[in-house]
């Protein structure tokens, strides 16, 4: 059964975002445009029926607007992660307190385990966990143990070509998987109905299903058409300035 999301948490980008981690080679983001795009992103979440809590910018952490990475929100508990990039590690500081407003049970990933929740893809009560430069085997094992404690499950997925697991694939519910690059022929995703992303539209593999609507990054016409043809309502969202920091649509919010 598909999950119904009611709320989201986002964090405003700070002017320091121009110093965020990036391998995109697309230049520095324009902070003013990023703020406008962030506002539109919030509106899109609201159009999907979510009540959005907006946290203030954290100037000490240039990548803190990519709030997805610091927590995983499941229907049973929230898990505060231990981000794998040292410059991002302190972003988790207030998350326990913030999440305590809505979650009875809060768990944590601890060192030597590291985990960015951008590496975690939810399919019903099963969670696929990418082993990346940010998420190590120990972090993934800790997450699987936590999930099992709450009668959910997890499995590890190796990856080589992308930053996070969800940089390369997104679950759109109804057994539909948006899939790109190294994940197209992977055995663990064999049983899904795959919607294949063209190499030149790889960035759009990070699209976001929320309550029946799919948010798709602006400027990827082939992907947009394929998602529409699969029967979804879509909203195009321009996140060009966040793309310059390797961030996509899912990275900018926690949804629960
Ligand atoms: C980073 O390298 O951590 C940020 N510049 C981008 C994080 C993107 N987050 C995500 O894919 N979940």
């Amino acid at each position: 059964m598909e999950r119904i999301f009611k709320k989201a948490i986002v964090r405003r980008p700070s002017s320091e975002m121009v110093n965020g981690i990036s391998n995109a080679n697309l230049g520095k983001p324009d902070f003013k445009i990023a703020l406008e795009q962030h506002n539109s992103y919030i509106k899109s979440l609201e159009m999907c029926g979510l009540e959005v809590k907006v946290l203030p910018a954290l100037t000490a952490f240039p990548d803190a607007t990519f709030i997805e990475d610091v927590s995983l929100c499941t229907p049973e508990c929230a898990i505060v992660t231990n981000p794998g990039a040292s410059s991002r590690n302190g972003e988790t500081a207030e998350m326990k307190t913030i999440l305590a407003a809505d979650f009875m049970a809060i768990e944590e990933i601890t060192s030597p385990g590291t985990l960015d929740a951008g590496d975690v893809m939810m399919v019903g009560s099963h969670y696929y966990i990418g082993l990346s430069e940010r998420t190590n085997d120990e972090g993934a094992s800790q997450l699987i143990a936590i999930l099992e404690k709450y009668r959910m499950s997890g499995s590890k997925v190796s990856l080589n070509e992308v930053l996070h697991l969800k940089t390369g694939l997104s679950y759109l519910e109804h057994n539909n998987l948006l899939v790109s690059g190294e994940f197209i022929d992977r055995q663990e995703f064999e049983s899904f109905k795959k919607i294949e992303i063209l190499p030149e539209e790889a960035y759009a593999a990070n699209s976001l299903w929320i309550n029946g609507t799919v948010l798709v990054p602006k400027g990827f016409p082939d992907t947009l058409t394929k998602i529409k043809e699969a029967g979804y309502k879509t909203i195009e969202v321009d996140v060009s300035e966040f793309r310059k920091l390797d961030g996509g649509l899912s990275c900018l919010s926690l949804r629960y």
Side-chain angles (χ1 to χ4, degrees), residues 20-247:
I21 308 170
S22 176
N23 287 302
N25 276 322
L26 295 170
K28 296 253 183 218
D30 180 310
F31 177 53
K32 214 171 138 239
I33 299 174
L35 280 179
E36 285 161 16
Q37 292 182 345
H38 200 251
N39 278 331
S40 305
Y41 178 78
I42 292 169
K43 286 205 184 90
S44 309
L45 297 180
E46 288 171 343
M47 282 166 73
C48 296
L50 303 186
E51 182 191 319
V52 183
K53 183 185 284 183
V54 183
L55 303 177
L58 290 180
T59 41
F61 298 100
D63 285 301
T65 193
F66 301 113
I67 193 167
E68 167 175 70
D69 292 319
V70 300
S71 302
L72 178 70
C73 296
T74 80
E76 312 298 332
C77 64
I79 299 136
V80 178
T81 68
N82 189 27
S86 54
S87 69
R88 299 200 59 188
N89 206 259
E91 289 176 25
T92 53
E94 300 161 28
M95 287 315 293
K96 260 192 175 174
T97 319
I98 292 161
L99 293 165
D102 287 316
F103 288 87
M104 300 279 285
I106 300 185
E107 303 280 348
E108 266 179 294
I109 304 295
T110 53
S111 290
T114 62
L115 186 127
D116 281 13
D119 274 317
V120 185
M121 181 177 76
M122 178 189 74
V123 178
S125 60
H126 186 78
Y127 292 75
Y128 291 92
I129 308 162
L131 298 176
S132 67
E133 279 184 15
R134 305 289 176 83
T135 297
N136 63 17
D137 193 70
E138 164 66 20
S141 294
Q142 286 184 23
L143 179 57
I144 292 170
I146 294 167
L147 293 167
E148 288 176 352
K149 180 171 149 192
Y150 293 90
R151 294 169 304 280
M152 299 177 282
S153 59
S155 57
K156 298 172 188 173
V157 180
S158 65
L159 58 89
N160 301 302
E161 292 169 7
V162 286
L163 172 62
H164 287 123
L165 181 68
K166 281 187 294 183
T167 313
L169 80 182
S170 305
Y171 185 55
L172 305 184
E173 303 293 329
H174 313 289
N175 205 38
N176 288 324
L177 188 67
L178 207 55
V179 63
S180 70
E182 64 182 306
F183 302 112
I184 292 176
D185 296 318
R186 289 285 278 274
Q187 192 243 325
E188 57 257 77
F189 302 121
E190 230 169 41
S191 63
F192 290 96
K193 264 188 278 162
K194 288 184 225 157
I195 302 174
E196 268 186 45
I197 304 281
L198 298 176
E200 61 270 30
E201 296 205 357
Y203 179 72
N206 185 275
S207 289
L208 185 57
W209 180 97
I210 305 173
N211 299 338
T213 297
V214 181
L215 308 193
V216 185
K218 191 165 173 233
F220 301 91
D222 184 73
T223 307
L224 184 68
T225 303
K226 284 174 177 163
I227 295 174
K228 283 185 175 163
E229 281 173 0
Y232 294 97
K233 276 191 287 181
T234 56
I235 303 177
E236 272 189 287
V237 189
D238 193 351
V239 281
S240 62
E241 301 316 294
F242 301 95
R243 183 184 183 195
K244 292 174 182 171
L245 299 175
D246 305 324

